[in-house]
Amino acid sequence: MKAFVFHGPGQSAWEEAPDPAIKDPTDAVVRVDAVTICGTDLHILKGDVPEVRPGTILGHEAVGEIVEAGSDVRTVRPGDRVLVSCISSCGRCSYCREGMYGQCRGGGGWILGHLIDGTQAEYVRVPFADLSVHALPGTVDGRDAVLLADIFPTAYEVGVLNGRVRPGDTVAVVGAGPIGLAAITTARLFAPERIVAVDLAPARLEAARRLGADAVADARETPEQLIADLTDGLGADVVMEAVGVPETFELCTRMVRPGGRVANIGVHGKPATLHLEDLWIKNVTITTGLVDTRSTPTLLRMAAAGRLPTTQLVTHTFPLDHMAEAYDVFARAADTGALKVVLGVEQHEVAVRGT
């Protein structure tokens, strides 16, 4: 088969790779019909995730069809159309029993495209298939469904739920990329008073407005002052960090009010300074997290009911074998206007999708 293989920082290629096969009776092999690129994949290519070994196939999000299932797989069978979750769950360890699938100690967690070969390929082996793939409703298009493999559950769980968004809150989302935009749309489910989006790119701030942000701020123009002006000087109840660089994390801690919550979603490759000389007295809660994907069934039902604006986040589509081009477009989002790119659709559908 062909796959997108990581060969070290700054080195990758769409090339021949061995076909996956069932290794354990709980495995399934999925033919990939649609796949997307995550900001985490860009971090891997930069060398920010040293656990990824050269020779690993990247990717941890996909929609496809089961072509083979191990003898212990009970919930899906060959021919089923499924969503491949970014998180694999053994279902038996103490963390999985508590619904913390991202911290699985039984061989799961974030392993696809990280510790084992991932989804940016024509076929992928998925461990623990009973808990790690989800049957897709026929009404959910593959290009939309693939966004539920990672960015929507990540934004919802690590941002909105960890940040404990409540009715009447002021919510600030720093970073209006795909994760930040998904955080805006899912935060709205909890009826906050206002949502403020912060980013450097005008196109992303405009997208944030379309998806429900009540106000936007250029990150270069003291957004903490805007938050102060909107909240009588108190700050935001909830601030979500959705970039993954020290400057944005530190900005979040300056924007939060006493008693507020900072929910870090971004993948960080460098240390950030925690200014306890300012924060120790403010009763601030800071959370971090890897998505568990326990919310995926709920989000799938909402998508099937038309309650999630997944289509608006997909800006570019490509054939599967145009992986290098798709990475280039996604990595240069400030120039290309890319939000999410989806691969694996038919050639005649390759275009920028309007909203």
Side-chain angles (χ1 to χ4, degrees):
M1 69 171 184
K2 289 291 189 69
F4 192 68
V5 182
F6 172 71
H7 291 294
Q11 303 176 62
S12 57
W14 178 256
E15 62 188 35
E16 294 284 344
D19 291 343
I22 299 293
K23 293 184 178 180
D24 298 305
T26 54
D27 291 349
V29 174
V30 176
R31 186 197 70 224
V32 174
D33 294 332
V35 69
T36 186
I37 300 169
C38 180
T40 304
D41 297 321
L42 299 182
H43 280 281
I44 292 171
L45 289 178
K46 291 177 184 176
D48 290 344
V49 189
E51 300 87 358
V52 181
R53 301 185 305 272
T56 301
I57 297 170
L58 296 186
H60 49 268
E61 310 157 84
V63 166
E65 181 181 311
I66 302 285
V67 295
E68 187 177 2
S71 58
D72 285 352
V73 176
R74 297 289 182 266
T75 60
V76 291
R77 60 186 181 181
D80 285 350
R81 181 170 168 263
V82 297
L83 171 70
V84 178
S85 175
C86 66
I87 297 295
S88 303
S89 168
C90 78
R92 297 178 178 178
C93 72
S94 60
Y95 282 105
C96 286
R97 287 173 179 266
E98 295 178 9
M100 298 175 64
Y101 306 135
Q103 304 302 322
C104 175
R105 291 298 184 265
W110 174 37
I111 55 175
L112 290 172
H114 180 206
L115 304 179
I116 67 173
D117 286 336
T119 59
Q120 290 172 4
E122 294 175 324
Y123 295 87
V124 59
R125 178 181 72 92
V126 182
F128 310 116
D130 278 335
L131 289 171
S132 305
V133 302
H134 302 270
L136 280 180
T139 57
V140 180
D141 183 88
R143 286 184 298 191
D144 298 332
V146 74
L147 303 191
L148 303 180
D150 185 353
I151 68 163
F152 269 91
T154 294
Y156 182 57
E157 295 175 14
V158 184
V160 176
L161 296 185
N162 279 3
R164 303 199 313 275
V165 176
R166 297 176 297 200
D169 277 354
T170 293
V171 177
V173 179
V174 178
I179 289 285
L181 295 173
I184 289 168
T185 63
T186 51
R188 292 183 66 200
L189 300 173
F190 291 83
E193 179 181 359
R194 62 175 67 89
I195 300 174
V196 182
V198 179
D199 203 281
L200 294 170
R204 291 194 164 188
L205 292 176
E206 179 57 34
R209 282 193 184 277
R210 292 196 304 270
L211 289 164
D214 302 287
V216 299
D218 189 314
R220 292 162 293 206
E221 297 178 0
T222 59
E224 55 265 54
Q225 185 59 54
L226 172 63
I227 295 294
D229 292 343
L230 291 171
T231 59
D232 296 325
L234 284 176
D237 298 280
V238 182
V239 186
M240 303 183 206
E241 199 285 337
V243 181
V245 298
E247 294 80 7
T248 51
F249 174 79
E250 293 166 28
L251 171 62
C252 290
T253 64
R254 296 196 300 272
M255 295 169 65
V256 68
R257 72 172 58 197
R261 287 87 66 194
V262 175
N264 183 86
I265 315 173
V267 177
H268 289 263
K270 296 180 181 179
T273 301
L274 183 63
H275 287 282
L276 286 176
E277 74 277 13
D278 298 322
L279 295 171
W280 73 270
I281 202 170
K282 293 179 67 174
N283 292 29
V284 170
T285 299
I286 298 174
T287 59
T288 65
L290 174 65
V291 64
D292 294 312
T293 66
R294 65 183 183 276
S295 66
T296 302
T298 299
L299 294 172
L300 273 171
R301 290 196 301 272
M302 294 181 66
R307 298 296 300 276
L308 292 178
T310 50
T311 298
Q312 295 186 50
L313 270 71
V314 180
T315 53
H316 297 72
T317 58
F318 298 87
L320 192 61
D321 60 359
H322 284 218
M323 193 69 69
E325 181 184 356
Y327 261 91
D328 178 65
V329 167
F330 186 61
R332 295 187 302 106
D335 300 322
T336 64
L339 294 176
K340 287 298 282 185
V341 301
V342 174
L343 300 98
V345 294
E346 295 298 323
Q347 177 69 40
H348 69 271
E349 293 181 319
V350 176
V352 176
R353 298 179 66 196
T355 50

